[in-house]
Amino acid sequence: MFYGVDLSSRLLLGTARYPSPAVLERAIKASRAEVVTVSLRREGGTGRAGQSFWQFIQSLGLRVLPNTAGCHSVKEAVTTAHMARELFDTPWIKLEVIGDADTLQPDVFGLVEAARILARDGFEVFPYTTEDLVVADRLVEAGCRVLMPWGAPIGSARGLNNVYGLKSLRAHFPDIPLVVDAGLGVPSHAAAAMELGYDAVLLNTAVAEAGDPVEMARAFALAVEAGRAAYLAQPLEPRDMAQPSTPVIGKAVLGGV
C-alpha cells in the first residue's frame, strides 16, 4: 500500500526508451503493472510538445507516478514537482535529486531538504535514495511514507550491489513500504529483491532496452510474484554443513549373518 492506495501488482514500470508507443503499451500489459513513471521533461515545456504521449498514457488507465528525473538541485526538483502535480493531477511524486553525473547517485542532502519542502506542500513523496539507514531516517522524519533505495546505479543492470544494506533497511523499517528502484537487469534480480521482503520493484531500462521488451516485461512480472511468494513461505537460511533430506533414524540396515 502506497499512501493509502492498494495495488495488486508489485511491479512499477518506467515509460522511457521504448522503441515505440505500441511496444510500450504491450510491455505494460505484459507486466501487469498498475503504476508507471513519467518524466515531466518528456512532456516538454512549450506548446503541445509531449501532449500526445500524455494522452496515450492516460488512455491506458494507469496510475501515474511523475518523477523529477534529471534534476540536480533542490530548487529544480521542487519546481519540477509542482509543475508535475499541475499537469498530471496527482500528489504523488518520485523525487530525484541527482548528485553525481556519472553514477546518477542521489544527492542525499538535497533529497532530504526537497522531501521536507514537498511533504509540507502536500505531496506524497517517493524518494529515490541510497540504502543508507541514516538518510532513510531523515526522509521518514521529513514526511516520506515510502522509501525507494537503489539496487545499483540507474541503467547499470548490476542487480543488488549491497544486499546487506538492503536487508538492514528492511529490518529497520518494517512498517514502511520499500521499493527497490534502479539497477535491476534481469528477472532474477527482481526476485532477489522481493525475497528480501521488499514491497515492490521499479524498473525501466531492463525492459525497454531488452531484445524483446514485451517478453522481458512478462518475465519480470513472474519473477516479482515468485520472489514475493518465496518471502512469504519463509525460505531456509543458508547452512555451513550439509543436512540429509532422507532421514537415517529407523533406516533398515542390511548385512550378512
Side-chain angles (χ1 to χ4, degrees):
M1 179 181 290
F2 300 140
Y3 292 102
V5 176
D6 271 322
L7 302 169
S8 59
S9 173
R10 295 178 181 273
L11 176 59
L12 289 68
L13 204 61
T15 56
R17 309 179 72 88
Y18 284 83
S20 69
V23 172
L24 169 59
E25 180 176 6
R26 290 170 56 212
I28 291 173
K29 290 179 178 178
S31 74
R32 300 195 291 276
E34 298 170 76
V35 176
V36 294
T37 62
V38 178
S39 171
L40 180 67
R41 292 166 186 269
R42 289 198 66 176
E43 288 303 298
T46 58
R48 296 181 58 82
Q51 188 64 31
S52 60
F53 178 78
W54 172 223
Q55 291 172 346
F56 163 71
I57 293 297
Q58 283 181 307
S59 72
L60 301 178
L62 303 168
R63 182 173 288 272
V64 173
L65 175 59
N67 65 49
T68 62
C71 292
H72 291 260
S73 70
V74 172
K75 181 178 181 181
E76 186 180 15
V78 169
T79 300
T80 301
H82 278 275
M83 293 171 63
R85 181 166 64 180
E86 181 177 348
L87 177 62
F88 299 114
D89 191 27
T90 176
W92 281 15
I93 190 72
K94 179 190 171 188
L95 179 61
E96 297 183 29
V97 182
I98 301 302
D100 182 79
D102 292 326
T103 64
L104 300 181
Q105 179 169 330
D107 171 1
V108 294
F109 305 101
L111 182 68
V112 172
E113 183 181 349
R116 184 174 291 110
I117 294 169
L118 292 174
R120 190 172 61 236
D121 290 345
F123 284 87
E124 295 173 342
V125 182
F126 295 67
Y128 164 62
T129 183
T130 67
E131 67 278 15
D132 187 286
L133 287 176
V134 176
V135 174
D137 263 325
R138 298 296 182 269
L139 288 168
V140 172
E141 290 173 1
C144 298
R145 298 295 172 261
V146 176
L147 297 172
M148 303 181 74
W150 64 350
I154 293 172
S156 68
R158 298 187 62 86
L160 307 182
N161 273 356
N162 185 359
V163 173
Y164 171 79
L166 292 171
K167 288 178 69 174
S168 298
L169 200 65
R170 177 72 284 175
H172 194 75
F173 296 99
D175 301 320
I176 296 287
L178 299 179
V179 182
V180 170
D181 175 18
L184 305 184
V186 291
S188 59
H189 295 158
M194 300 304 294
E195 288 171 9
L196 294 179
Y198 275 67
D199 297 280
V201 298
L202 192 161
L203 51 95
N204 187 164
T205 310
V207 171
E209 296 190 2
D212 187 335
V214 178
E215 284 304 306
M216 188 60 76
R218 182 175 292 110
F220 268 103
L222 295 171
V224 167
E225 289 185 9
R228 179 64 179 178
Y231 170 73
L232 294 176
Q234 301 178 16
L236 289 173
E237 291 293 329
R239 297 167 174 154
D240 293 328
M241 301 294 290
Q243 179 170 315
S245 57
T246 302
V248 294
I249 298 176
K251 181 177 179 181
V253 178
L254 303 178
V257 177

